[in-house]
Amino acid sequence: MKRRQFCKTLGIAAGALCTSVFSNNACKSSSRMKQPPNILFIMADDHAAAAISAYKGFLSSFIRTPNIDLLAKEGMLFKNCFVTNSICTPSRASILTGKYSHKNGCRTLNDVFDNTQLTFPKLLQKAGYYTAIIGKWHLKSEPTGFDYYNVLPGQGRYFDPHLIEKGIPWQRGRKESKQYKGYVTDIITDIALEHLKNRPQNKPFCFLVHYKAPHDMWEYDKKHAHLYEDIEIPEPENLFDDYQNRGEAIKRATQKIDMEETLFLHKTQGHQFDNVRAKLSKLPPREQKRRAYQIFIKAYLRCVASIDENVGRLLDYLDEANLAENTIVVYTSDQGVFLGEHGLFDKRFMYEESIRMPLLVRFPKEIEPGSINNDIVLNIDFAETFLDYAGLPIPSEMQGQSLRPLFQGKKPKNWRNSMYYRYWMHRAHFNVAAHYGIRTNRYKLIFYYGLPLDANGAIPEPTPPEWELFDLENDPNEMRNVYHDPAYANIVKQLKTELLHLKVKFDDKDDKYPELIKIRNQIW
Ligand code: CA
């Protein structure tokens, strides 16, 4: 595969001088560029950082994602990018609006995105960008702010998917959509490439290419059916986590890797799985779990293989069209996901694997090749980043920070040292309790308040409130809740103060929920 290697040593923008007519806020990090950069924002669905070889996680000696890795080699890899609410619809809404779920109205999977609100594609479009989104949308209302869209209805299908193209009356049903023959990851790329090639040449572009994979049910392309076939994939060290020294929430949750769940979620290859079930059911429970993990992780990684190939096709096009130099390429996922860590799959919890988004960014004009960033960055930061590069004012309602100075290797003095997280959809899926919390560079404090409140789709059955505290320096796998350890009493106090400060800062104060305030007063 031909690739231009960027041997960039110069070219970091001067940055500090703000001479535009825009507000101070707009000029937080740098000046307007002479030629606004193109943006190619590639986002997968449920792609864990551990399943990208550049992250050097527990799978890295076995998996290869050379095309995604190229973005790390030629750009910057972020080790601590976090989602603010670890499920699909809310993360997508936060990315578009630069706001927390309680501000953009998408707190749960059941919420419909208010498409009249401000989004970064809308603002870029007004400023003269050609904007497009292809692939997964999952926000229910019609995409707005895009010159072109062609999106999957709902979750979409892996094989022969329907897509709804701009111009067709917007419906969530499939009647009005067009069916494409083939594998969804290839099809999304085909459409994206066709429209990249045919875009108006006189405008900068912002293309959002959103893959459906590797979301469950992990239906891989038939051509990858034999990938990893004869290999035993490594297990995470806590696959057999027994949840001792933890709260009740993780014990209560049902997203556990075991034979029944794995076979159920993976029923798409049903005819083969009846045989597998017969075989597995004869094994002792521990061995069943091992086999179930292998079935799950291999299907997952085969889906990832298609994504990586298709990222390669997009990058090849940028090279061929001489666009690589002035295009910001982002690869990320709407959230992280457990790949057997704690014996879990899926996401939702505020644990590391669930909240960590992979983030790799290439922009030769400003990013040093092979650079690594360890700062806390969030899904609400993308919108301001792109507006910053377009030289546009940042709306005061946006709650993130532009990543541009981090791209340039210049961490601002006031960069955040902590992040606020909240999962609203109480017990709706896998029985995960509603919770919020704070993660700093070293600690994580989680408050499982266990109430549905007024969140759409939440189950109206409370769970007992509880706390978890993890010392990520001494316990990176989050195996020991030290909330009740007297040695951490002062840390708990400080974190609670900071957590309340973040709740005020992001205007998520819970004033309208007396039942929650009551619980908080009892056990804070
Ligand atoms: Ca997702």
Side-chain angles (χ1 to χ4, degrees), residues 229-277:
E229 195 171 42
D230 301 319
I231 295 174
E232 196 78 354
I233 305 286
E235 294 165 359
E237 55 189 89
N238 54 1
L239 177 65
F240 294 97
D241 191 350
D242 60 4
Y243 314 122
Q244 295 303 303
N245 312 311
R246 239 68 50 75
E248 294 304 308
I250 192 170
K251 295 169 194 161
R252 201 186 298 115
T254 59
Q255 57 202 97
K256 308 272 164 63
I257 295 213
D258 60 24
M259 187 184 81
E260 285 308 317
E261 284 286 355
T262 305
L263 292 183
F264 171 73
L265 282 171
H266 204 34
K267 65 185 176 186
T268 44
Q269 279 94 23
H271 61 284
Q272 301 165 22
F273 275 68
D274 282 343
N275 297 335
V276 176
R277 180 192 297 276

Side-chain angles (χ1 to χ4, degrees), residues 8-24:
K8 183 186 70 65
T9 50
L10 295 170
I12 290 177
L17 258 183
C18 180
T19 53
S20 79
V21 296
F22 301 119
S23 69
N24 286 337

Side-chain angles (χ1 to χ4, degrees), residues 384-395:
E384 291 186 34
T385 305
F386 300 140
L387 296 179
D388 188 352
Y389 273 105
L392 293 171
I394 309 293

Side-chain angles (χ1 to χ4, degrees), residues 59 238 251 254 312 325 332 439 465:
L59 296 166
N238 54 1
K251 295 169 194 161
T254 59
E325 188 72 18
T332 188
R439 187 201 189 279

